[in-house]
Amino acid sequence: MSASRDVRGSVQDAVNRGSVNEPRLLWNQETVRDVAESVGAPRIGDEALRTLSQDVEYRIGQVIIEALRYMRLGKRTHLTTQDVSQAMRALDVEPMYGYITARPLRYGEASLGPQALFYVEDEEVDFEKLINAPLPKLPKDMTFTDHFLATEGVLTVCPENLSAAELRNHDFLPKGPGANPALAALSGQDNPAFKPAVKHVVSQELILYFEKIQACLMDDSEDVEVQRLREAALESVSSEPSIHQLIPYFVNFISNQVTHNLHDVFVLRQMMELTNALISNDYLYLAPYASSLSSAVQTCLMGRKIGVDNGIGGLKAQYDLREFAATLLGRLARKYSQENKMLQPKLVRSCLKEMLNPQRPVAVWFGAILGLASVASNADSIKIFIIQQLKEFERGMLLPLQQKAQYDQIATIEFETLVGAIMKAVEQCTGDDVPMLNGMNGFSSEEEESQIKAFVGDIIGERIIALGNHKLNLAVLDARTLRAIGDNFSRV
């Protein structure tokens, strides 16, 4: 009997000890009950009420700790409403609206029975000061005007748009919903205005048109119907006036396909055909994209390794592609050099560098020479950049290739193709305005022939003399004068 009494006593002591050690809630349970009734839960048990109150205390403590962390990061000793908002955003809690203010909040206390009620005190304004205060400035009259924000992707220079200096400062401004306005003051902007990014919107019809053009060009089937569709697609691109919004997409498509398909001559050829169609369209303004297009064309013109077929058929397709790319490069240089002053010098420098590099393959020399001849604006440019370099080119490139061609059929084809490209460039030094009599337009002396061989080398010199064009001979020898002028300037 005494044993059972001892057991009941120990159990009762444990229950009393548990109730004493149970933590006391700081959050009023009645508030939780009021919120539960407002959302449609009028009957809630005491145990559930206590559990919800504990959860509310934990969540509020989480927000306060996170807000204090933002306060310490801001080197402050006062907790602000902005710290609480940042903490709620970091904890993925819906932020509270209407409590962001530039002045500190002052809370008043009102006693309503046993529970204290806190409220935000309104600022008292002296009526006399309010009447005697100066009136605000009158707003400006509303006016309407129009201007172009950008033309074909190029920012228009006008008072309504940002200048170049303002754009540079704008790059250093904090951006995004959580940007700190204090960083704007450090960058020299007292009142920064953030403009949302504008998304380029293209109609569904243009998107469908772009996809159809892609599908037609990338289909490598030899079917007659497929080839007819391919030609129709290129014809549409070259004459359609309403595809100006697709220009950046076409340029990006060409650049990506050329970069990732250097092994496929068919794809490269189609990209050059598409480039030619874009250039031929008089309704499109391609000046801002001339550099991007010329980069893709130069890759097809002077790429070290194009295609995977090393046979005669693959070699012919590769050289045809390079010749077509040289024509496109010349069209780009002539058509857009007025808007882009550095385009033509950049192209000439790239082609000349590849032409004089003895480590490059023959196909690169072929493309570089044709590119120089196509980009050159006049006969003097060809004399300076091509004819004056032929002696050195023969010594370093043509002679070793000629020796290799004696026992290699592919080398023989490459040698004749390269010499043909040089002769094609040299013949551009003269026009066709001088009439020829019996296939000749004058007589060349032996001294003149020996001077040509001494100036450009024996291989090219013999080919020039074999043409029997006296005017061409004089034009080639005239390049020595330009060379002498250049030497005199270098001495000065």
Side-chain angles (χ1 to χ4, degrees):
M1 192 62 140
S2 61
S4 62
R5 190 182 303 111
D6 294 339
V7 171
R8 287 196 301 269
S10 61
V11 171
Q12 186 67 26
D13 293 340
V15 172
N16 295 333
R17 193 182 306 112
S19 62
V20 172
N21 295 333
E22 189 173 356
R24 182 181 178 183
L25 294 178
L26 300 177
W27 191 261
N28 191 358
Q29 298 184 22
E30 296 300 325
T31 305
V32 179
R33 187 187 301 276
D34 294 339
V35 174
E37 290 178 355
S38 65
V39 297
R43 297 181 180 180
I44 185 171
D46 294 338
E47 188 65 27
L49 188 63
R50 185 176 184 83
T51 303
L52 287 175
S53 300
Q54 291 176 350
D55 185 71
V56 169
E57 284 188 9
Y58 172 74
R59 300 298 178 186
I60 292 178
Q62 228 181 353
V63 173
I64 293 175
I65 291 174
E66 191 70 22
L68 290 174
R69 190 174 301 165
Y70 280 99
M71 182 192 71
R72 296 189 188 98
L73 289 175
K75 307 297 183 182
R76 288 179 280 103
T77 57
H78 294 280
L79 189 67
T80 63
T81 56
Q82 190 173 6
D83 295 332
V84 178
S85 298
Q86 294 285 356
M88 297 176 72
R89 186 180 290 110
L91 295 173
D92 198 16
V93 180
E94 183 180 358
M96 299 179 65
Y97 301 99
Y99 289 93
I100 301 299
T101 178
R103 62 183 180 84
L105 298 178
R106 294 186 303 173
Y107 294 93
E109 181 180 357
S111 298
L112 296 177
Q115 184 177 1
L117 176 65
F118 294 90
Y119 63 94
V120 179
E121 293 183 352
D122 294 331
E123 183 181 359
E124 295 183 359
V125 180
D126 190 356
F127 190 68
E128 184 178 356
K129 291 182 179 179
L130 182 63
I131 293 176
N132 296 328
L135 295 175
K137 295 181 179 180
L138 292 175
K140 295 182 179 180
D141 294 335
M142 183 180 298
T143 58
F144 295 94
T145 182
D146 57 343
H147 74 283
F148 286 100
L149 179 63
T151 304
E152 296 292 338
V154 180
L155 188 66
T156 307
V157 180
C158 61
E160 290 80 7
N161 291 339
L162 295 176
S163 63
E166 291 173 341
L167 285 174
R168 285 193 296 269
N169 292 333
H170 188 70
D171 293 338
F172 295 101
L173 294 179
K175 299 176 178 63
N180 188 358
L183 297 178
L186 297 177
S187 63
Q189 301 291 328
D190 295 333
N191 297 314
F194 303 107
K195 297 182 179 180
V198 179
K199 186 178 180 181
H200 190 200
V201 179
V202 182
S203 64
Q204 291 296 328
E205 291 78 7
L206 285 178
I207 294 176
L208 182 61
Y209 177 85
F210 180 67
E211 292 175 351
K212 291 295 183 182
I213 295 295
Q214 283 181 312
C216 293
L217 293 180
M218 301 303 290
D219 191 353
D220 58 352
S221 176
E222 297 181 357
D223 188 15
V224 178
E225 184 66 20
V226 173
Q227 295 179 3
R228 187 185 66 82
L229 289 176
R230 192 183 306 139
E231 294 174 358
L234 293 173
E235 178 64 25
S236 175
V237 174
S238 63
S239 58
E240 182 64 40
S242 60
I243 59 173
H244 57 277
Q245 284 189 316
L246 293 178
I247 293 177
Y249 298 95
F250 276 124
V251 174
N252 186 51
F253 174 64
I254 293 172
S255 301
N256 290 337
Q257 294 299 322
V258 170
T259 303
H260 297 96
N261 293 280
L262 291 177
H263 60 282
D264 195 338
V265 178
F266 171 79
V267 175
L268 298 179
R269 179 74 186 196
Q270 297 309 311
M271 294 303 101
M272 294 300 100
E273 294 285 357
L274 180 57
T275 304
N276 182 44
L278 291 173
I279 298 174
S280 302
N281 195 330
D282 296 331
Y283 299 100
L284 302 181
Y285 182 66
L286 295 177
Y289 308 96
S291 297
S292 300
L293 289 174
S294 63
S295 299
V297 174
Q298 286 185 87
T299 302
C300 295
L301 178 66
M302 296 179 290
R304 298 185 186 182
K305 181 64 176 177
I306 294 179
V308 294
D309 188 4
N310 295 324
I312 296 178
L315 199 64
K316 182 179 183 304
Q318 179 189 158
Y319 278 94
D320 289 343
L321 173 65
R322 294 180 187 271
E323 188 171 0
F324 184 50
T327 305
L328 292 179
L329 199 67
R331 292 186 63 186
L332 285 170
R334 289 188 295 271
K335 192 171 183 179
Y336 304 111
S337 59
Q338 295 296 327
E339 290 85 354
N340 192 345
K341 300 296 184 181
M342 295 303 298
L343 178 62
Q344 191 171 16
K346 181 178 67 175
L347 297 178
V348 170
R349 187 161 50 249
S350 300
C351 294
L352 186 61
K353 179 181 178 181
E354 297 297 324
M355 172 186 169
L356 299 179
N357 191 344
Q359 305 299 327
R360 295 289 185 263
V362 180
V364 177
W365 299 335
F366 173 83
I369 292 172
L370 289 183
L372 270 176
S374 183
V375 172
S377 57
N378 49 42
D380 290 342
S381 301
I382 297 177
K383 293 176 184 178
I384 295 174
F385 297 120
I386 296 180
I387 297 180
Q388 291 184 4
Q389 316 298 332
L390 288 179
K391 184 72 173 180
E392 180 182 354
F393 186 81
E394 177 181 315
R395 186 185 307 112
M397 292 80 158
L398 283 182
L399 288 177
L401 184 60
Q402 188 183 35
Q403 296 174 0
K404 184 180 179 181
Q406 296 177 0
Y407 55 85
D408 190 350
Q409 183 183 4
I410 299 297
T412 303
I413 297 175
E414 290 181 336
F415 175 78
E416 293 297 331
T417 306
L418 183 60
V419 173
I422 295 175
M423 292 302 301
K424 182 178 179 180
V426 170
E427 289 176 2
Q428 295 183 16
C429 291
T430 179
D432 297 327
D433 53 344
V434 178
M436 298 180 66
L437 300 175
N438 297 326
M440 302 185 66
N441 54 9
F443 297 95
S444 301
S445 61
E446 295 182 358
E447 182 181 359
E448 184 177 293
E449 295 176 357
S450 61
Q451 290 178 355
I452 291 175
K453 290 182 180 181
F455 180 50
V456 300
D458 294 335
I459 299 176
I460 303 300
E462 290 177 357
R463 300 291 180 100
I464 294 175
I465 295 171
L467 294 176
N469 190 338
H470 180 64
K471 183 180 179 182
L472 178 60
N473 297 342
L474 295 179
V476 171
L477 294 177
D478 184 61
R480 297 181 303 175
T481 307
L482 299 175
R483 189 175 188 177
I485 293 175
D487 292 342
N488 292 334
F489 275 115
S490 62
R491 292 192 191 98
V492 174

